[in-house]
Amino acid sequence: KIGDDEYIFIDTAGIRRRGKIKDVEYYSYLRALDAIDRADVVVLLLDAEEGPTDRDAKIAGIALEKFKPIVIAVNKIDKLKSQKEWENIHRRLDLTFDFIAFAPRVFISAKEKRGLEELLKQVKDLYKQYTKRVTTGKFNRALSELMEIHQPPVYKNKIVKIYYGTQVKTKPPTFLLFSNYPEGIPKNFRRFLENRIRKEF
């Protein structure tokens, strides 16, 4: 309990890079997947010296597929001594997590107790977004503006229209859209809508 807020942290233990996994670590990996299912917010904890790995990207991808809020926490920043080392870790984070560029990053040192307040602040903020409700009126005004910018492509020589939408649940915020030809809305346009809605709200 911190102030008026109560947090439950699930530690999944270390998950090493591919090729170094032993039986015990394989079960740690399975526990991590279970923890993602149970979590409201996923904190992906990285080692500043080792940097992000392919397995970190895979875990982040799973969290994304499950629509879980994610914050990237880079630990052991006390080990980074030079500007070059800092630039290197930022570059590697950009490359590894380009598919979740919207995820906040926090640089911490558990040893020196640095950055922990910022981490909790991000967790709290992401939870607030995860449980957010948007009124139907506000959502449809934003949706109407989006449709003016970019219409869905023509489907079988027919004009595809998205009439309106409404939020149907939280955790994660989920929106139901009504269209004359929903099967005619391709994946790339759905991603466009998802990204713009995320940015807007």
Side-chain angles (χ1 to χ4, degrees):
K1 191 170 174 69
I2 302 171
D4 295 329
D5 301 314
E6 190 169 332
Y7 301 84
I8 299 173
F9 286 92
I10 306 168
D11 185 0
T12 59
I15 301 172
R16 299 188 192 180
R17 286 176 291 187
R18 188 177 302 168
K20 294 187 178 181
I21 296 181
K22 298 173 185 176
D23 288 345
V24 172
E25 290 172 78
Y26 174 70
Y27 289 110
S28 294
Y29 176 71
L30 294 181
R31 283 200 304 274
L33 301 187
D34 178 62
I36 290 171
D37 281 329
R38 295 166 58 196
D40 288 318
V41 177
V42 173
V43 179
L44 185 59
L45 192 63
L46 311 179
D47 186 308
E49 286 187 296
E50 184 179 16
T53 67
D54 291 343
R55 190 155 295 279
D56 294 323
K58 185 174 182 180
I59 294 292
I62 292 167
L64 181 65
E65 287 173 5
K66 293 177 181 292
F67 298 101
K68 298 291 185 173
I70 183 168
V71 54
I72 300 169
V74 183
N75 189 25
K76 299 184 182 178
I77 57 170
D78 49 287
K79 302 285 187 179
L80 302 178
K81 303 300 182 183
S82 68
Q83 181 68 25
K84 188 176 180 179
E85 288 175 317
W86 275 100
E87 290 173 356
N88 181 54
I89 190 68
H90 278 289
R91 184 172 62 255
R92 292 182 63 189
L93 288 169
D94 289 341
L95 289 171
T96 306
F97 301 114
D98 61 331
F99 61 98
I100 51 165
F102 51 81
R105 301 173 187 174
V106 180
F107 296 87
I108 68 173
S109 170
K111 180 181 177 182
E112 297 179 352
K113 294 182 172 56
R114 289 164 56 193
L116 301 181
E117 285 186 10
E118 175 62 21
L119 177 58
L120 287 177
K121 178 179 175 293
Q122 290 292 347
V123 167
K124 188 174 180 178
D125 184 56
L126 286 174
Y127 181 76
K128 186 177 179 181
Q129 293 179 50
Y130 192 49
T131 57
K132 184 173 185 174
R133 282 206 171 272
V134 180
T135 65
T136 299
K138 189 173 183 180
F139 180 76
N140 281 287
R141 282 191 293 274
L143 184 63
S144 178
E145 290 173 7
L146 281 178
M147 291 303 98
E148 288 178 11
I149 295 169
H150 194 23
Q151 287 284 340
V154 172
Y155 175 68
K156 293 184 178 179
N157 294 321
K158 294 173 182 176
I159 295 174
V160 179
K161 294 181 180 180
I162 296 177
Y163 298 119
Y164 66 97
T166 187
Q167 186 173 359
V168 292
K169 69 172 187 174
T170 61
K171 291 188 173 185
T174 303
F175 300 89
L176 178 64
L177 305 183
F178 295 84
S179 169
N180 57 343
Y181 295 107
E183 70 277 13
I185 302 175
K187 285 185 179 180
N188 62 342
F189 192 82
R190 290 170 190 243
R191 280 196 298 271
F192 162 75
L193 282 176
E194 184 181 327
N195 289 334
R196 293 303 292 260
I197 290 168
R198 178 183 285 115
K199 186 176 181 181
E200 180 73 22
F201 297 114

